[in-house]
Amino acid sequence: MFLTYQRGALHDLPDDAAAYDAVLERVAAQALDRITADGNLERPGCGDDIGDTSLGITSLLALAWQRSGGTLGHLAEPVRRSLDFHLRERVYRTDNPGYPNLRVRDSGEPYARYVLGDGSHPIGDWPSTAWALLQAVNVLDLADGLLTAEQRAELTDVAHGYWRWLTDIAYFNPQDTANQAIGAVVGALMLTRHLKDPKDAEAVRERALHLYATEIRARRLSDRGALLPPEHGGAYDNNYGPISLSFLAQAHRVTGKQVFAEDGDEIARYLDARLASGGYDIGGPRYSEQHSGFEAVLGMRYFSRRIGADLGRYLGDTRWGRHAAGPDGAVDGHFAFMLVWQTQDTTRWYRTPRTVPARHQLRSARVSVSFDSVMTPALIETAGTILLPAATNRQHGIGPAVDGFLLTRPMGEVRVRDVAAHGLVAKLVTKPVVNRDQGLVHVQSLYVTDGTSLWLTVALERTPGARLLAGLPYATDTDGRLAKLTEAGGVSFADKGARLVADGPLLVGGLGVDSAGELALTTPDVPGSDGSAYFNSPDTIGLTQEQAAFGLAADPRGYGNPDSGWRDIIATTALEAAPAASPPDGLTVLAVRYGPAHAADEPFVSHFAVGADGLTVRTEAFTAVVGPPAGDAAGNPTLTLGPAPAG
């Protein structure tokens, strides 16, 4: 079962001028076959996201004409005819009955509809109008020598009216979706170049920048140390977050204003920190793992160069690598403005991975750990296999647990130390947590990687019954795509209550997992007939995490917060590791190694000792000394890293 959207690294798509010219040639040929006598360029069968789509194809035809230097003269007539169609048939000035987000009734200002029928799905009219504004300003930018003076004047007037409708007639950003709001601002800033009256242009510019500052930037939400524009109430979204990044790139390209660059840099650094080495990202509050395709390219390419990070490894939906398409693959004008901007932007992908440590990320070659806001792993990737936080007794995480109670939520400052030496990269996380009896427990988690394997060692005060919840095996690289894992070690994850105790390393997809203590693979015991709250129950074995989460969410798919549903998962398939059999006095030590399948044939050596400098950890690959939980004189964690002992 392949994951639906993770199909390929975005930077694997050719993005030179010749590649874009070839795309535009195919789009133009399809558009000329499709155009109706009245000038309609909409994809046949399109029912929603439709109010701007014909105009979007018009802009692509105009772009193809411009890039040809006017030699594609046969495109001129379809551009004019399709623009007339939009101005005649797709500009609405009568209120959509039942539309809930109007401040002024019967204004007569133009807007675009999400669907064409009165009152049908009216909630989408605001973003459709923002998109129509963007398509319109692109046509105005591209159509010198194509449009008649009358057409240019009418389209400029309609675009100006779109902006008034978005800001004066409707409530601004009524769906609390920052990418749409930033898109509207970008459209306004581009519109100013076409308004003849300087006073009108300045008024639009000032209003757009004011709205960005007060209605978008001031409302950013914090996640993992970054301030991010909100998407449907959440700080980040794998569908819309990258689109916001593309809008910020275009805003900076159009205006040169530093605020757009700085805000884009922050989102880009955040995204880089949470991306796995192979490009997978568990997602955000609206779409747990749905990825953008072409909508993300402009922003990721632009900001990858600015911050010096390989964001292009992001796994996008390469079926939509250039433009939106219908189920039959037919080009759709929705988001056509992104293809226009990608084609115009000369920035190329930055392809060198970042080596500077980031607080919420540990990465070396094909090994990565992405951490959440409290420095609990949100994702582990090794040997192309993805592990997510496992759930037990409604608690989710990767870390020590006692009788189903996770010792991962901090009660105090979480401190981090990064060290690189001897070809190894390490991160030490020191976290004070509270146990079920309200006792304070100091937990130190050491992550070490050589770029091939990952060693995780967790030390805490002697805690009887502690086990390491070592992750939910989720997906593995299969023929260049991610496929959901449904079995390991010969055990189906759908076997209710199954427990496999490994006699040595356990193979999970392409991953070999070994432990200093007993290692087990458990599947959730599903009581009763409804197993929807138990991931990898017979009811959920055929579902992705995103689908299972939406199944439990309070809102329908596309509007709700699937993470709220995922929090209702009671238990999942899980790797569990028992403590090392011979720990130092006073400590419980849990240790696992995640490595390629062939590592299962390489002995996992683990030895632990406590001395004046702290806890010494020796494995077959390194020696580390983890200082006391109190840290140094300034309270900073101490860590030294060296090679494995000789012999």
Side-chain angles (χ1 to χ4, degrees), residues 220-549:
R220 290 179 298 172
L221 302 176
S222 177
D223 187 29
R224 308 184 199 198
L227 289 173
L228 307 168
E231 299 292 347
H232 291 272
Y236 183 74
D237 176 313
N238 251 357
N239 188 35
Y240 290 142
I243 300 173
S244 285
L245 194 62
S246 289
F247 281 138
L248 288 170
Q250 180 67 3
H252 187 241
R253 291 180 67 232
V254 170
T255 67
K257 288 192 173 293
Q258 193 63 19
V259 65
F260 298 122
E262 291 173 354
D263 291 355
D265 287 349
E266 185 153 10
I267 297 174
R269 283 191 294 266
Y270 167 86
L271 181 59
D272 178 54
R274 63 183 290 162
L275 269 185
S277 295
Y280 175 79
D281 180 14
I282 189 175
R286 182 169 160 86
Y287 289 101
S288 293
E289 56 190 333
Q290 184 173 145
H291 289 52
S292 297
F294 72 100
E295 310 103 310
V297 168
L298 176 69
M300 290 192 177
R301 193 173 66 188
Y302 192 84
F303 287 102
S304 72
R305 181 66 56 178
R306 280 188 52 87
I307 70 170
D310 179 19
L311 298 180
R313 71 184 183 283
Y314 180 94
L315 294 180
D317 189 341
T318 49
R319 296 172 302 178
W320 281 30
R322 305 296 189 186
H323 48 68
D328 58 355
V331 64
D332 191 301
H334 195 53
F335 276 105
F337 47 83
M338 288 294 187
L339 178 55
V340 173
W341 300 339
Q342 286 174 37
T343 307
Q344 294 170 330
D345 181 42
T346 58
T347 307
R348 299 277 73 86
W349 286 109
Y350 186 90
R351 297 174 182 270
T352 304
R354 281 167 60 89
T355 57
V356 177
R359 178 178 174 88
H360 297 281
Q361 166 260 310
L362 174 71
R363 186 163 61 233
S364 177
R366 285 303 304 273
V367 174
S368 55
V369 185
S370 301
F371 296 88
D372 64 16
S373 290
V374 295
M375 294 305 296
T376 297
L379 179 154
I380 291 175
E381 180 192 44
T382 310
T385 295
I386 302 293
L387 301 176
L388 302 181
T392 177
N393 194 28
R394 296 186 186 275
Q395 298 180 72
H396 299 224
I398 294 176
V402 181
D403 297 328
F405 187 86
L406 259 68
L407 301 177
T408 56
R409 289 174 296 281
M411 182 61 70
E413 186 68 19
V414 179
R415 294 166 295 154
V416 177
R417 176 70 186 276
D418 289 282
V419 174
H422 307 284
L424 302 163
V425 180
K427 186 184 292 286
L428 173 64
V429 178
T430 298
K431 184 186 298 187
V433 303
V434 175
N435 63 20
R436 195 187 295 275
D437 298 325
Q438 300 188 55
L440 190 65
V441 179
H442 292 280
V443 177
Q444 292 180 292
S445 302
L446 173 66
Y447 305 83
V448 181
T449 179
D450 60 0
T452 300
S453 295
L454 172 71
W455 290 262
L456 168 56
T457 304
V458 179
L460 60 158
E461 296 98 310
R462 182 61 60 86
T463 305
R467 300 179 72 84
L468 177 66
L469 200 63
L472 156 66
Y474 183 63
T476 194
D477 191 314
T478 302
D479 299 326
R481 288 185 58 195
L482 288 180
K484 185 187 173 188
L485 287 164
T486 57
E487 65 87 24
V491 172
S492 168
F493 292 170
D495 290 344
K496 296 194 295 183
R499 179 178 175 83
L500 170 67
V501 178
D503 182 15
L506 179 66
L507 293 179
V508 181
L511 181 67
V513 186
D514 209 342
S515 171
E518 178 186 87
L519 181 67
L521 174 70
T522 64
T523 62
D525 186 7
V526 184
S529 59
D530 183 8
S532 61
Y534 296 81
F535 191 64
N536 286 334
S537 69
D539 301 81
T540 62
I541 192 67
L543 302 179
T544 65
Q545 187 205 36
E546 180 187 1
Q547 292 166 335

Side-chain angles (χ1 to χ4, degrees), residues 27-42 53-65 72-88 139 143 145-148 151:
V27 169
Q30 190 177 138
L32 295 181
D33 285 342
R34 174 190 301 173
I35 192 168
T36 63
D38 62 355
N40 188 350
L41 285 169
E42 291 160 3
T53 60
S54 182
L55 189 59
I57 299 295
T58 302
S59 72
L60 295 179
L61 292 176
L63 178 63
W65 178 87
L72 299 179
H74 64 289
L75 298 182
E77 190 275 337
V79 167
R80 298 187 191 105
R81 180 154 46 109
S82 61
L83 176 57
D84 283 339
F85 168 81
H86 178 81
L87 294 172
R88 183 179 65 250
V139 171
L146 278 178
L147 302 185
T148 67
Q151 284 179 316

Side-chain angles (χ1 to χ4, degrees), residues 51 55 86-96 99 102 104 106-113 125-126 128-133 136 153-170 191:
L55 189 59
H86 178 81
L87 294 172
R88 183 179 65 250
E89 303 291 342
R90 294 296 179 258
V91 176
Y92 290 80
R93 294 180 181 272
T94 302
D95 293 352
N96 196 343
Y99 187 72
L102 293 181
V104 178
D106 302 319
S107 67
E109 292 288 2
Y111 69 97
R113 287 193 178 179
D125 290 353
W126 200 91
S128 291
T129 303
W131 274 207
L133 171 60
E154 185 176 357
L155 182 59
T156 302
D157 181 67
V158 166
H160 198 181
Y162 283 155
W163 174 245
R164 290 192 297 267
W165 189 90
L166 289 166
T167 54
D168 297 329
I169 306 307
L191 172 65

Side-chain angles (χ1 to χ4, degrees), residues 169-194:
I169 306 307
Y171 290 96
F172 187 77
N173 190 21
Q175 293 175 255
D176 190 26
T177 307
N179 80 94
Q180 299 171 1
I182 302 172
V185 166
V186 171
L189 294 172
M190 295 177 69
L191 172 65
T192 59
R193 300 182 293 198
H194 300 285

